[in-house]
Amino acid sequence: MKRTPPLSFPVRIPFVEQLGFELHSLGDGRAELRVDIREGHLNSWEVAHGGVLMSLLDVAMAHAARSIHMHQEGMGPGVVTIEMKTSFMRPAEGELRAQGELLHHTATMAFCEGRVLGEDGRLCAHATATFKYLRALPGQGRQLKSLQRREAD
């Protein structure tokens, strides 16, 4: 199977860069991320650590939530995770694909679903999450910086 090159993430997330996640599709309330599991991702059973899967799901669903604002400057408001429930079905190994989907949204909230598929296409983990749309973090005056704006700074 021919590998398509990844897309650029709309915002810089150092943690995501450290984990080696790649964005492969984004738009219309959906997002797909991929990661090749390497030694630093492993648990004591030598399969992907649950924290890696949860991070992959969180980022895929967050991007799905933001994708409906792609036409807005800086891709509109950022999102923060309010809650997330994850179920693990089987060990995850090799190249993993995370698919996030926006199920419903209001002006301030997004409700999403995500799944991680293993190299064999079988379901490894499933999650649901609620996100809050924000323009800044309260109390610190932090603002979400788009990748383009950050490069200009």
Side-chain angles (χ1 to χ4, degrees):
M1 178 192 288
K2 185 178 176 184
R3 245 180 102 86
T4 59
L7 305 171
S8 295
F9 280 95
V11 294
R12 182 171 180 261
I13 310 169
F15 181 66
V16 168
E17 291 174 6
Q18 183 69 32
L19 290 171
F21 294 175
E22 296 179 342
L23 180 64
H24 281 266
S25 69
L26 179 67
D28 299 321
R30 297 180 187 276
E32 182 174 308
L33 276 69
R34 296 182 192 165
V35 65
D36 282 316
I37 295 302
R38 52 186 194 247
E39 187 175 9
H41 295 129
L42 302 180
N43 63 18
S44 59
W45 294 96
E46 295 189 351
V47 296
H49 190 283
V52 173
L53 297 180
M54 290 183 76
S55 295
L56 192 59
L57 286 160
D58 182 56
V59 175
M61 290 185 291
H63 278 76
R66 291 197 68 212
S67 72
I68 61 168
H69 298 117
M70 288 179 66
H71 63 282
Q72 296 178 12
E73 181 183 342
M75 209 166 144
V79 295
V80 293
T81 309
I82 301 299
E83 63 81 30
M84 181 172 159
K85 180 197 181 296
T86 306
S87 299
F88 301 97
M89 279 60 149
R90 66 180 24 80
E93 304 176 86
E95 184 188 59
L96 305 181
R97 284 186 306 135
Q99 301 166 334
E101 180 179 359
L102 176 64
L103 301 176
H104 178 75
H105 70 93
T106 66
T108 59
M109 305 289 277
F111 304 90
C112 298
E113 179 177 50
R115 63 195 55 79
V116 172
L117 304 173
E119 204 164 61
D120 58 3
R122 295 175 70 191
L123 184 65
C124 297
H126 176 269
T128 56
T130 306
F131 297 90
K132 183 167 181 63
Y133 291 114
L134 289 178
R135 298 234 177 249
L137 290 179
Q140 297 296 317
R142 293 183 188 101
Q143 301 235 330
L144 183 69
K145 292 184 179 180
S146 71
L147 191 56
Q148 295 81 18
R149 202 158 119 215
R150 183 181 175 93
E151 289 172 350
D153 291 345

